Amino acid sequence: MAQCLQVQLSIMADKCERILQLLDIFQSRKPITTKVFDYFEDLQMNFTANKELQYESCAEHFEGLDVHHAAKTHILNLVHLAYSNAEEKLTKYMSEGQPAINFLREVRVFDPRYISFMEDSVSGYTHIPGFSAVPNDEFDAYFQRLGPAALKASACGVEPQDSRLVELDVFWDGLLERLPVLSALAKRYKDVIVNLADAERSNSLYKLVLSSRRRSITNSNLRALVFLYHNQRLTSGVFERDELKIDCGPDSEDEVEDSLDT
């Protein structure tokens, strides 16, 4: 049993690394509205690919252990079940389970990196409030000339996940006079809040401070302690370090430290 548990933990530690990276992105303090739908799709593809794991792809996790064939089959079935359940829940979330999913799919239009596979008419964006008011000439100018020109002018390539490619704030600020309606919508919706991570963190922080030994603490002192704890983390660079690890990957801790020092 101990060896079987060891194998299961080893498989999940290996296969879930990418899943954790994607989930961490949703908890970051950076605006990711125009990328959320792609992250959902990446997560869904990860679940689909891993739910059909064969023994050969997991053989390294059984090396040096005396695990019988029946136990190996049982472990792979458990992995399949875990990924299948996760895929089912995410698929439901991306269909009828999340009313905002259509908005998240369409809001990518405000990022020039995605316009090559987005609808090329104003009528194709029915889930973005106010988009029907965008003049056709504005939309055509952005879709056919200004958006592609921004991509060509970039020196960083055209990878959709490369956040350095197009600085959206600078891009849309520069188009306020030429595309007033579309720019106003872009600036309103491209950075909308898509999660409750900060609220959840706040609740967790209050629970941490309000321990069993502090039941008599006053509300004002509780707020003060939470304020101090939160700002201590800000000044220590914890949030920045976490975000850089998400951007650079788990194997770039040295680069993260160098960046923070700089």
Side-chain angles (χ1 to χ4, degrees):
M1 181 179 293
Q3 289 186 347
C4 289
L5 289 174
Q6 179 181 339
V7 172
Q8 292 178 53
L9 291 173
S10 179
I11 291 175
M12 298 311 291
D14 177 34
K15 302 301 181 182
C16 288
E17 183 175 354
R18 179 54 181 164
I19 297 176
L20 292 176
Q21 290 177 6
L22 289 170
L23 293 178
D24 283 342
I25 291 173
F26 291 107
Q27 300 185 71
S28 71
R29 306 177 72 86
K30 291 183 178 181
I32 58 170
T33 310
T34 57
K35 301 178 183 179
V36 167
F37 189 79
D38 279 14
Y39 290 139
F40 280 151
E41 289 189 323
D42 288 347
L43 196 58
Q44 191 173 37
M45 286 189 293
N46 184 282
F47 292 157
T48 302
N50 284 289
K51 75 175 183 179
E52 300 298 342
L53 285 176
Q54 301 298 319
Y55 174 75
E56 289 75 12
S57 62
C58 300
E60 60 180 309
H61 302 290
F62 293 93
E63 290 180 0
L65 301 176
D66 185 19
V67 180
H68 296 294
H69 177 74
K72 293 178 181 178
T73 303
H74 177 67
I75 291 173
L76 292 178
N77 287 337
L78 287 178
V79 174
H80 170 79
L81 180 61
Y83 276 109
S84 296
N85 289 339
E87 181 192 34
E88 181 181 353
K89 291 179 180 179
L90 183 59
T91 300
K92 181 178 180 180
Y93 183 85
M94 292 181 65
S95 54
E96 74 277 4
Q98 173 51 266
I101 197 68
N102 291 317
F103 168 80
L104 295 174
R105 182 187 294 109
E106 294 178 6
V107 79
R108 296 176 298 171
V109 72
F110 297 127
D111 191 331
R113 287 166 284 200
Y114 298 104
I115 60 176
S116 60
F117 52 87
M118 300 293 291
E119 291 287 337
D120 58 357
S121 66
V122 174
S123 60
Y125 301 89
T126 58
H127 295 88
I128 300 178
F131 205 92
S132 59
V134 176
N136 288 324
D137 58 340
E138 279 195 26
F139 185 82
D140 292 340
Y142 165 61
F143 223 81
Q144 299 174 12
R145 293 185 290 105
L146 301 175
L151 296 179
K152 292 180 180 179
S154 173
C156 300
V158 293
E159 290 296 326
Q161 304 299 342
D162 189 347
S163 61
R164 300 168 298 173
L165 176 59
V166 177
E167 293 292 341
L168 294 184
D169 288 326
V170 177
F171 176 76
W172 287 110
D173 284 342
L175 294 177
L176 278 174
E177 294 185 1
R178 302 174 67 178
L179 309 176
V181 180
L182 192 59
S183 295
L185 287 175
K187 292 174 70 65
R188 179 185 303 173
Y189 293 122
K190 67 180 178 61
D191 293 335
V192 296
I193 298 174
V194 295
N195 62 64
L196 299 175
D198 283 334
E200 295 292 342
R201 284 171 176 162
S202 177
N203 291 334
S204 299
L205 185 54
Y206 271 99
K207 291 179 181 178
L208 178 65
V209 174
L210 190 60
S211 66
S212 59
R213 297 182 179 182
R214 290 174 171 164
R215 292 304 179 185
S216 61
I217 192 173
T218 63
N219 289 336
S220 59
N221 286 341
L222 176 60
R223 288 195 297 269
L225 283 173
V226 171
F227 174 84
L228 291 174
Y229 184 88
H230 179 77
N231 282 277
Q232 182 183 31
R233 297 192 69 199
L234 286 177
T235 56
S236 66
V238 170
F239 293 126
E240 291 80 0
R241 185 176 292 104
D242 290 343
E243 290 175 6
L244 283 172
K245 285 182 180 179
I246 291 172
D247 291 339
C248 301
D251 299 325
S252 305
E253 293 189 4
D254 293 338
E255 289 85 344
V256 170
E257 296 297 335
D258 293 341
S259 177
L260 288 174
D261 292 340
T262 303

Coordinates of all heavy atoms in Angstrom, one line a residue, residues 104-188:
L104 N -15.9 36.0 -22.1 CA -14.5 35.8 -22.1 C -13.9 35.3 -23.4 O -12.8 35.6 -23.8 CB -14.2 34.7 -21.0 CG -14.5 35.1 -19.6 CD1 -14.3 34.0 -18.6 CD2 -13.6 36.3 -19.2
R105 N -14.8 34.6 -24.2 CA -14.3 34.2 -25.5 C -14.2 35.4 -26.5 O -13.3 35.5 -27.3 CB -15.3 33.1 -26.1 CG -14.9 32.6 -27.5 CD -16.0 31.7 -28.1 NE -16.2 30.5 -27.3 CZ -17.2 30.2 -26.6 NH1 -18.2 31.1 -26.4 NH2 -17.3 29.1 -25.9
E106 N -15.2 36.3 -26.4 CA -15.3 37.4 -27.3 C -14.3 38.5 -26.9 O -13.8 39.3 -27.8 CB -16.7 37.9 -27.4 CG -17.7 36.9 -28.0 CD -19.1 37.5 -28.1 OE1 -19.3 38.7 -27.7 OE2 -20.0 36.7 -28.5
V107 N -14.0 38.7 -25.6 CA -13.3 39.9 -25.2 C -11.8 39.8 -25.7 O -11.1 40.8 -25.7 CB -13.3 39.9 -23.6 CG1 -12.3 38.9 -23.0 CG2 -13.0 41.4 -23.1
R108 N -11.4 38.7 -26.2 CA -10.1 38.6 -26.8 C -9.9 39.5 -28.0 O -8.8 39.7 -28.4 CB -9.8 37.1 -27.2 CG -9.8 36.1 -26.0 CD -9.6 34.7 -26.5 NE -10.7 34.3 -27.4 CZ -10.7 33.1 -28.1 NH1 -9.7 32.3 -28.1 NH2 -11.8 32.8 -28.8
V109 N -11.0 39.9 -28.5 CA -10.9 40.8 -29.7 C -10.2 42.1 -29.4 O -9.6 42.7 -30.3 CB -12.4 41.1 -30.2 CG1 -13.1 42.1 -29.3 CG2 -12.3 41.7 -31.6
F110 N -10.1 42.5 -28.1 CA -9.4 43.7 -27.8 C -7.9 43.5 -27.7 O -7.1 44.5 -27.4 CB -9.9 44.2 -26.4 CG -11.3 44.6 -26.5 CD1 -12.2 44.1 -25.5 CD2 -11.8 45.5 -27.4 CE1 -13.6 44.5 -25.5 CE2 -13.2 45.9 -27.4 CZ -14.0 45.4 -26.5
D111 N -7.4 42.3 -28.0 CA -6.0 42.1 -28.0 C -5.6 41.7 -29.5 O -6.1 40.7 -30.0 CB -5.6 40.9 -27.1 CG -4.1 40.7 -26.9 OD1 -3.4 41.1 -27.8 OD2 -3.7 40.2 -25.8
P112 N -4.8 42.5 -30.1 CA -4.4 42.3 -31.5 C -3.8 40.9 -31.8 O -3.9 40.4 -32.9 CB -3.4 43.4 -31.8 CG -3.7 44.5 -30.8 CD -4.2 43.8 -29.6
R113 N -3.3 40.3 -30.8 CA -2.7 38.9 -31.0 C -3.8 37.9 -31.4 O -3.4 36.8 -31.9 CB -2.1 38.5 -29.7 CG -0.8 39.2 -29.4 CD -0.3 39.0 -27.9 NE -1.1 39.8 -27.0 CZ -0.7 40.1 -25.7 NH1 0.4 39.6 -25.3 NH2 -1.5 40.8 -24.9
Y114 N -5.1 38.2 -31.1 CA -6.1 37.1 -31.4 C -7.0 37.4 -32.6 O -7.8 36.6 -32.9 CB -7.0 37.0 -30.2 CG -6.2 36.5 -28.9 CD1 -5.9 37.4 -27.9 CD2 -5.8 35.2 -28.8 CE1 -5.2 37.0 -26.8 CE2 -5.1 34.8 -27.7 CZ -4.8 35.7 -26.7 OH -4.2 35.2 -25.6
I115 N -6.8 38.6 -33.2 CA -7.8 39.0 -34.2 C -7.8 38.1 -35.5 O -8.7 38.0 -36.2 CB -7.6 40.5 -34.6 CG1 -6.2 40.7 -35.2 CG2 -7.9 41.4 -33.5 CD1 -6.0 42.1 -35.7
S116 N -6.7 37.4 -35.7 CA -6.6 36.5 -36.9 C -7.6 35.4 -36.8 O -7.9 34.8 -37.9 CB -5.2 36.0 -37.0 OG -4.8 35.2 -35.9
F117 N -8.1 35.0 -35.7 CA -9.1 33.9 -35.6 C -10.3 34.3 -34.9 O -11.0 33.5 -34.3 CB -8.5 32.7 -34.9 CG -7.8 32.9 -33.6 CD1 -8.6 32.8 -32.4 CD2 -6.5 33.1 -33.5 CE1 -8.0 33.0 -31.2 CE2 -5.9 33.3 -32.3 CZ -6.6 33.2 -31.1
M118 N -10.6 35.6 -34.9 CA -11.8 36.1 -34.3 C -12.8 36.5 -35.4 O -12.5 36.6 -36.5 CB -11.5 37.4 -33.4 CG -10.6 37.1 -32.2 SD -11.3 36.0 -31.0 CE -12.5 37.0 -30.3
E119 N -14.1 36.7 -35.0 CA -15.1 37.2 -35.9 C -14.7 38.5 -36.5 O -14.3 39.4 -35.8 CB -16.5 37.3 -35.3 CG -17.1 35.9 -34.9 CD -17.6 35.1 -36.0 OE1 -17.8 35.7 -37.1 OE2 -17.7 33.9 -35.9
D120 N -14.9 38.7 -37.8 CA -14.5 39.9 -38.5 C -15.6 40.9 -38.8 O -15.5 41.7 -39.7 CB -13.7 39.6 -39.8 CG -14.6 38.8 -40.8 OD1 -15.7 38.5 -40.4 OD2 -14.1 38.5 -41.9
S121 N -16.6 40.8 -38.0 CA -17.8 41.8 -38.1 C -18.3 42.1 -36.7 O -18.2 41.3 -35.8 CB -18.9 41.2 -38.9 OG -19.5 40.1 -38.3
V122 N -18.8 43.3 -36.6 CA -19.3 43.8 -35.3 C -20.4 42.9 -34.8 O -20.6 42.7 -33.6 CB -19.8 45.3 -35.5 CG1 -20.5 45.8 -34.2 CG2 -18.7 46.2 -35.8
S123 N -21.3 42.4 -35.7 CA -22.4 41.6 -35.3 C -22.0 40.3 -34.6 O -22.8 39.6 -34.0 CB -23.3 41.3 -36.5 OG -22.5 40.5 -37.5
G124 N -20.7 39.9 -34.7 CA -20.2 38.7 -34.1 C -19.9 38.7 -32.6 O -19.5 37.7 -32.0
Y125 N -20.1 39.9 -32.0 CA -19.8 40.1 -30.6 C -21.0 40.6 -29.9 O -21.2 41.8 -29.6 CB -18.6 41.1 -30.5 CG -17.4 40.7 -31.3 CD1 -17.2 41.0 -32.6 CD2 -16.5 39.9 -30.6 CE1 -16.1 40.5 -33.3 CE2 -15.3 39.4 -31.3 CZ -15.2 39.8 -32.7 OH -14.1 39.3 -33.3
T126 N -21.9 39.6 -29.5 CA -23.2 39.9 -28.9 C -23.1 39.9 -27.4 O -24.0 40.3 -26.7 CB -24.2 39.0 -29.4 OG1 -23.8 37.6 -29.1 CG2 -24.4 39.1 -30.9
H127 N -22.0 39.4 -26.8 CA -21.9 39.2 -25.4 C -21.0 40.3 -24.7 O -20.7 40.2 -23.5 CB -21.4 37.8 -25.0 CG -22.3 36.7 -25.5 ND1 -22.3 36.2 -26.7 CD2 -23.3 36.1 -24.8 CE1 -23.2 35.2 -26.8 NE2 -23.8 35.2 -25.6
I128 N -20.5 41.3 -25.5 CA -19.8 42.4 -24.9 C -20.7 43.6 -24.9 O -21.1 44.1 -26.0 CB -18.5 42.7 -25.8 CG1 -17.6 41.5 -25.8 CG2 -17.8 43.9 -25.2 CD1 -16.4 41.7 -26.7
P129 N -21.1 44.0 -23.7 CA -22.1 45.1 -23.6 C -21.6 46.4 -24.4 O -20.4 46.8 -24.2 CB -22.2 45.4 -22.1 CG -21.8 44.1 -21.5 CD -20.8 43.5 -22.4
G130 N -22.4 46.9 -25.3 CA -22.1 48.1 -26.0 C -21.4 47.9 -27.3 O -21.1 48.9 -28.0
F131 N -21.0 46.7 -27.6 CA -20.2 46.5 -28.8 C -21.0 46.8 -30.1 O -20.4 47.1 -31.1 CB -19.7 45.0 -28.8 CG -18.4 44.9 -29.6 CD1 -17.2 45.0 -29.0 CD2 -18.5 44.7 -31.0 CE1 -16.0 44.9 -29.8 CE2 -17.3 44.5 -31.7 CZ -16.1 44.6 -31.1
S132 N -22.3 46.6 -30.0 CA -23.1 46.9 -31.2 C -23.0 48.4 -31.6 O -23.4 48.7 -32.8 CB -24.6 46.5 -31.0 OG -25.1 47.2 -29.9
A133 N -22.6 49.2 -30.7 CA -22.5 50.7 -31.1 C -21.2 51.0 -31.8 O -21.0 52.1 -32.2 CB -22.6 51.5 -29.8
V134 N -20.3 50.0 -31.9 CA -19.0 50.3 -32.6 C -19.2 50.5 -34.1 O -19.8 49.6 -34.7 CB -18.0 49.1 -32.4 CG1 -16.7 49.3 -33.2 CG2 -17.7 48.9 -30.9
P135 N -18.8 51.6 -34.6 CA -19.0 51.9 -36.1 C -18.2 50.9 -36.9 O -17.1 50.5 -36.5 CB -18.4 53.3 -36.3 CG -18.5 53.9 -34.9 CD -18.2 52.8 -34.0
N136 N -18.8 50.5 -38.0 CA -18.1 49.5 -38.9 C -16.8 50.0 -39.4 O -15.8 49.2 -39.5 CB -19.0 49.1 -40.1 CG -20.2 48.3 -39.6 OD1 -20.1 47.4 -38.8 ND2 -21.3 48.5 -40.3
D137 N -16.7 51.3 -39.6 CA -15.4 51.8 -40.1 C -14.3 51.7 -39.1 O -13.1 51.4 -39.4 CB -15.5 53.2 -40.7 CG -16.0 54.2 -39.6 OD1 -16.6 53.7 -38.6 OD2 -15.8 55.4 -39.7
E138 N -14.7 51.9 -37.8 CA -13.7 51.8 -36.7 C -13.2 50.3 -36.6 O -12.1 50.0 -36.5 CB -14.3 52.2 -35.4 CG -14.3 53.7 -35.1 CD -14.6 54.0 -33.7 OE1 -14.3 53.2 -32.8 OE2 -15.1 55.1 -33.4
F139 N -14.2 49.4 -36.6 CA -13.9 48.0 -36.5 C -13.0 47.5 -37.6 O -12.0 46.8 -37.4 CB -15.2 47.2 -36.4 CG -15.0 45.7 -36.1 CD1 -14.8 45.3 -34.8 CD2 -14.9 44.8 -37.2 CE1 -14.6 43.9 -34.6 CE2 -14.7 43.5 -36.9 CZ -14.6 43.0 -35.6
D140 N -13.4 47.9 -38.8 CA -12.6 47.5 -40.0 C -11.2 48.0 -40.0 O -10.2 47.3 -40.3 CB -13.3 47.9 -41.3 CG -14.6 47.2 -41.5 OD1 -14.8 46.1 -40.9 OD2 -15.5 47.7 -42.3
A141 N -11.1 49.3 -39.5 CA -9.7 49.9 -39.5 C -8.8 49.1 -38.5 O -7.7 48.9 -38.7 CB -9.8 51.4 -39.1
Y142 N -9.4 48.8 -37.3 CA -8.7 48.0 -36.3 C -8.4 46.6 -36.8 O -7.2 46.1 -36.7 CB -9.5 47.9 -35.0 CG -9.0 46.9 -34.0 CD1 -7.7 47.0 -33.5 CD2 -9.8 45.9 -33.6 CE1 -7.3 46.0 -32.6 CE2 -9.4 44.9 -32.7 CZ -8.1 45.0 -32.2 OH -7.7 44.0 -31.3
F143 N -9.4 46.0 -37.4 CA -9.2 44.6 -37.8 C -8.3 44.4 -39.0 O -7.5 43.4 -39.0 CB -10.6 44.0 -38.1 CG -10.8 42.6 -37.5 CD1 -11.2 42.5 -36.2 CD2 -10.6 41.5 -38.3 CE1 -11.4 41.2 -35.6 CE2 -10.8 40.2 -37.7 CZ -11.2 40.1 -36.4
Q144 N -8.3 45.3 -39.9 CA -7.6 45.1 -41.2 C -6.3 45.8 -41.2 O -5.3 45.4 -41.9 CB -8.5 45.6 -42.3 CG -9.8 44.8 -42.5 CD -10.7 45.4 -43.6 OE1 -10.3 46.2 -44.4 NE2 -11.9 44.9 -43.6
R145 N -6.1 46.9 -40.5 CA -4.9 47.7 -40.6 C -4.2 47.9 -39.3 O -3.0 47.5 -39.1 CB -5.2 49.1 -41.2 CG -5.7 49.0 -42.7 CD -5.8 50.4 -43.3 NE -7.0 51.1 -42.7 CZ -6.9 52.1 -41.8 NH1 -5.7 52.5 -41.4 NH2 -7.9 52.7 -41.4
L146 N -4.8 48.5 -38.3 CA -4.1 48.9 -37.1 C -3.7 47.7 -36.2 O -2.6 47.7 -35.7 CB -5.1 49.8 -36.2 CG -5.5 51.1 -37.0 CD1 -6.5 51.9 -36.2 CD2 -4.3 52.0 -37.3
G147 N -4.6 46.7 -36.0 CA -4.2 45.6 -35.3 C -3.0 44.8 -35.9 O -2.0 44.6 -35.2
P148 N -3.1 44.4 -37.2 CA -2.0 43.7 -37.8 C -0.7 44.5 -37.8 O 0.4 44.0 -37.7 CB -2.5 43.5 -39.2 CG -4.0 43.4 -39.1 CD -4.4 44.4 -38.0
A149 N -0.9 45.9 -38.0 CA 0.3 46.7 -38.0 C 1.0 46.7 -36.6 O 2.3 46.7 -36.6 CB -0.1 48.1 -38.4
A150 N 0.3 46.6 -35.6 CA 0.9 46.6 -34.2 C 1.7 45.3 -34.1 O 2.7 45.2 -33.4 CB -0.2 46.7 -33.1
L151 N 1.1 44.2 -34.6 CA 1.8 42.9 -34.5 C 3.1 42.9 -35.3 O 4.2 42.4 -34.9 CB 0.9 41.8 -35.0 CG -0.3 41.5 -34.2 CD1 -1.1 40.4 -34.9 CD2 0.0 41.2 -32.8
K152 N 3.1 43.5 -36.5 CA 4.3 43.6 -37.4 C 5.3 44.5 -36.7 O 6.5 44.2 -36.9 CB 3.9 44.1 -38.7 CG 3.1 43.1 -39.6 CD 2.7 43.6 -40.9 CE 1.9 42.7 -41.7 NZ 1.5 43.2 -43.1
A153 N 4.9 45.5 -36.1 CA 5.9 46.4 -35.5 C 6.5 45.9 -34.2 O 7.6 46.4 -33.8 CB 5.2 47.8 -35.1
S154 N 5.9 44.9 -33.7 CA 6.5 44.3 -32.4 C 7.8 43.5 -32.8 O 7.9 42.8 -33.7 CB 5.5 43.3 -31.8 OG 6.1 42.7 -30.7
A155 N 8.7 43.7 -31.9 CA 10.0 43.0 -32.1 C 10.1 41.7 -31.3 O 11.2 41.0 -31.3 CB 11.2 43.9 -31.6
C156 N 9.0 41.3 -30.7 CA 9.0 40.1 -29.8 C 8.3 38.9 -30.4 O 8.1 37.9 -29.8 CB 8.4 40.4 -28.5 SG 9.1 41.7 -27.6
G157 N 7.9 39.0 -31.7 CA 7.3 37.8 -32.3 C 5.8 37.9 -32.2 O 5.2 39.0 -31.8
V158 N 5.1 36.8 -32.4 CA 3.6 36.8 -32.4 C 3.0 35.7 -31.6 O 2.0 35.3 -31.8 CB 3.1 36.7 -33.9 CG1 3.4 37.9 -34.7 CG2 3.6 35.4 -34.5
E159 N 3.8 35.3 -30.6 CA 3.2 34.3 -29.7 C 2.1 34.8 -28.8 O 2.3 35.9 -28.1 CB 4.3 33.7 -28.7 CG 5.3 32.9 -29.5 CD 4.7 31.6 -30.1 OE1 3.8 31.1 -29.4 OE2 5.2 31.2 -31.2
P160 N 0.9 34.3 -28.8 CA -0.2 34.8 -28.1 C 0.0 34.9 -26.6 O -0.6 35.8 -26.0 CB -1.4 33.8 -28.4 CG -1.0 33.1 -29.7 CD 0.5 33.1 -29.6
Q161 N 0.9 34.1 -26.0 CA 1.1 34.1 -24.6 C 2.2 35.1 -24.2 O 2.4 35.3 -23.0 CB 1.5 32.7 -24.1 CG 0.5 31.6 -24.5 CD -0.9 31.8 -23.9 OE1 -1.0 32.6 -22.9 NE2 -1.9 31.2 -24.4
D162 N 2.8 35.7 -25.1 CA 3.9 36.6 -24.8 C 3.3 38.0 -24.4 O 2.9 38.8 -25.3 CB 4.8 36.8 -26.0 CG 6.1 37.6 -25.7 OD1 6.2 38.2 -24.6 OD2 7.0 37.5 -26.5
S163 N 3.4 38.3 -23.1 CA 2.7 39.5 -22.6 C 3.5 40.8 -23.1 O 3.0 41.9 -23.0 CB 2.7 39.5 -21.1 OG 3.9 39.4 -20.5
R164 N 4.7 40.6 -23.6 CA 5.5 41.7 -24.0 C 5.2 42.2 -25.4 O 5.6 43.2 -25.9 CB 7.0 41.4 -23.9 CG 7.5 41.0 -22.6 CD 8.9 40.4 -22.6 NE 8.9 39.2 -23.4 CZ 10.0 38.5 -23.8 NH1 11.1 38.9 -23.4 NH2 9.8 37.4 -24.5
L165 N 4.4 41.3 -26.1 CA 4.2 41.6 -27.5 C 3.5 42.9 -27.8 O 4.0 43.8 -28.5 CB 3.4 40.5 -28.1 CG 2.9 40.6 -29.6 CD1 4.2 40.7 -30.4 CD2 2.1 39.4 -30.0
V166 N 2.4 43.1 -27.2 CA 1.6 44.4 -27.4 C 1.2 44.9 -26.0 O 0.5 44.2 -25.3 CB 0.4 44.2 -28.3 CG1 -0.4 45.4 -28.4 CG2 0.8 43.7 -29.6
E167 N 1.6 46.0 -25.6 CA 1.2 46.7 -24.4 C -0.2 47.2 -24.6 O -0.3 48.3 -25.3 CB 2.2 47.7 -23.9 CG 3.5 47.2 -23.5 CD 3.4 46.4 -22.2 OE1 2.4 46.5 -21.5 OE2 4.3 45.6 -21.9
L168 N -1.2 46.6 -24.1 CA -2.6 47.0 -24.5 C -3.0 48.4 -24.0 O -3.7 49.1 -24.7 CB -3.6 46.0 -23.9 CG -3.5 44.5 -24.5 CD1 -4.6 43.7 -24.0 CD2 -3.6 44.6 -26.0
D169 N -2.5 48.8 -22.8 CA -2.8 50.1 -22.4 C -2.2 51.2 -23.3 O -2.9 52.1 -23.7 CB -2.2 50.3 -21.0 CG -2.9 49.6 -19.9 OD1 -4.2 49.4 -20.1 OD2 -2.3 49.1 -18.9
V170 N -1.0 51.0 -23.7 CA -0.3 51.9 -24.7 C -1.0 51.9 -26.0 O -1.3 52.9 -26.6 CB 1.2 51.6 -24.8 CG1 1.8 52.5 -25.8 CG2 1.9 51.7 -23.5
F171 N -1.3 50.7 -26.5 CA -1.9 50.5 -27.8 C -3.3 51.2 -27.9 O -3.5 52.0 -28.8 CB -2.1 49.0 -28.0 CG -2.8 48.7 -29.3 CD1 -2.2 48.8 -30.5 CD2 -4.2 48.3 -29.3 CE1 -2.8 48.5 -31.7 CE2 -4.8 48.0 -30.5 CZ -4.2 48.1 -31.7
W172 N -4.2 51.0 -26.9 CA -5.5 51.6 -27.0 C -5.5 53.1 -26.6 O -6.3 53.9 -27.1 CB -6.5 50.8 -26.1 CG -6.8 49.5 -26.7 CD1 -6.5 48.3 -26.2 CD2 -7.6 49.3 -27.9 NE1 -6.9 47.3 -27.1 CE2 -7.6 47.9 -28.1 CE3 -8.3 50.1 -28.8 CZ2 -8.3 47.3 -29.2 CZ3 -8.9 49.5 -29.9 CH2 -9.0 48.2 -30.0
D173 N -4.6 53.5 -25.8 CA -4.4 55.0 -25.5 C -4.0 55.7 -26.8 O -4.5 56.8 -27.0 CB -3.4 55.2 -24.4 CG -3.9 54.9 -23.0 OD1 -5.1 54.8 -22.8 OD2 -3.0 54.7 -22.1
G174 N -3.2 55.1 -27.6 CA -2.8 55.7 -28.8 C -3.9 55.8 -29.9 O -3.7 56.5 -30.9
L175 N -5.0 55.0 -29.7 CA -6.0 55.0 -30.7 C -7.3 55.7 -30.2 O -8.4 55.6 -30.9 CB -6.4 53.5 -31.0 CG -5.3 52.7 -31.7 CD1 -5.7 51.3 -31.9 CD2 -4.9 53.3 -33.1
L176 N -7.2 56.4 -29.1 CA -8.4 57.1 -28.6 C -9.1 58.1 -29.6 O -10.3 58.2 -29.7 CB -8.1 57.8 -27.3 CG -8.0 57.0 -26.0 CD1 -7.6 57.8 -24.9 CD2 -9.4 56.4 -25.7
E177 N -8.2 58.8 -30.4 CA -8.8 59.7 -31.3 C -9.2 59.1 -32.6 O -10.3 59.5 -33.2 CB -7.7 60.8 -31.6 CG -7.4 61.7 -30.5 CD -6.4 62.8 -30.9 OE1 -6.0 62.8 -32.1 OE2 -6.0 63.6 -30.0
R178 N -8.5 58.0 -33.0 CA -8.9 57.4 -34.3 C -10.0 56.4 -34.2 O -10.8 56.2 -35.1 CB -7.6 56.7 -34.9 CG -6.5 57.6 -35.1 CD -5.2 56.9 -35.5 NE -5.3 56.3 -36.8 CZ -4.4 55.6 -37.5 NH1 -3.2 55.5 -36.8 NH2 -4.5 55.1 -38.7
L179 N -10.1 55.7 -33.0 CA -11.1 54.7 -32.7 C -11.7 55.0 -31.4 O -11.6 54.2 -30.4 CB -10.5 53.3 -32.7 CG -9.7 52.9 -33.9 CD1 -9.1 51.5 -33.7 CD2 -10.5 52.9 -35.2
P180 N -12.5 56.1 -31.2 CA -13.0 56.5 -29.9 C -13.9 55.5 -29.3 O -13.8 55.2 -28.1 CB -13.7 57.8 -30.2 CG -14.0 57.8 -31.7 CD -12.9 57.0 -32.3
V181 N -14.9 54.9 -30.0 CA -15.8 54.0 -29.4 C -15.2 52.7 -29.1 O -15.3 52.2 -28.0 CB -17.0 53.8 -30.4 CG1 -18.0 52.8 -29.8 CG2 -17.7 55.1 -30.7
L182 N -14.4 52.1 -30.0 CA -13.8 50.8 -29.8 C -12.7 50.9 -28.7 O -12.6 50.0 -27.8 CB -13.1 50.3 -31.1 CG -12.7 48.9 -31.1 CD1 -13.8 47.9 -30.8 CD2 -12.0 48.5 -32.4
S183 N -12.0 52.0 -28.6 CA -11.0 52.2 -27.6 C -11.6 52.3 -26.2 O -11.1 51.8 -25.2 CB -10.2 53.5 -27.9 OG -9.4 53.4 -29.0
A184 N -12.8 53.0 -26.1 CA -13.4 53.2 -24.8 C -13.9 51.8 -24.3 O -13.8 51.5 -23.1 CB -14.6 54.1 -25.0
L185 N -14.4 51.0 -25.2 CA -14.9 49.6 -24.8 C -13.7 48.8 -24.4 O -13.7 48.0 -23.4 CB -15.6 49.0 -26.0 CG -17.0 49.5 -26.3 CD1 -17.6 48.8 -27.5 CD2 -18.0 49.3 -25.1
A186 N -12.6 48.9 -25.2 CA -11.4 48.1 -24.9 C -10.9 48.4 -23.5 O -10.5 47.6 -22.7 CB -10.3 48.3 -25.9
K187 N -10.8 49.7 -23.2 CA -10.2 50.1 -21.9 C -11.2 49.8 -20.7 O -10.7 49.6 -19.6 CB -10.0 51.7 -21.9 CG -8.8 52.1 -22.9 CD -8.7 53.6 -23.0 CE -8.2 54.2 -21.7 NZ -6.8 53.7 -21.4
R188 N -12.4 49.6 -21.0 CA -13.4 49.3 -20.0 C -13.4 47.8 -19.7 O -13.5 47.4 -18.5 CB -14.8 49.6 -20.4 CG -15.9 49.3 -19.4 CD -17.3 49.6 -20.0 NE -17.4 51.0 -20.4 CZ -18.5 51.5 -21.0 NH1 -19.5 50.7 -21.3 NH2 -18.5 52.8 -21.3

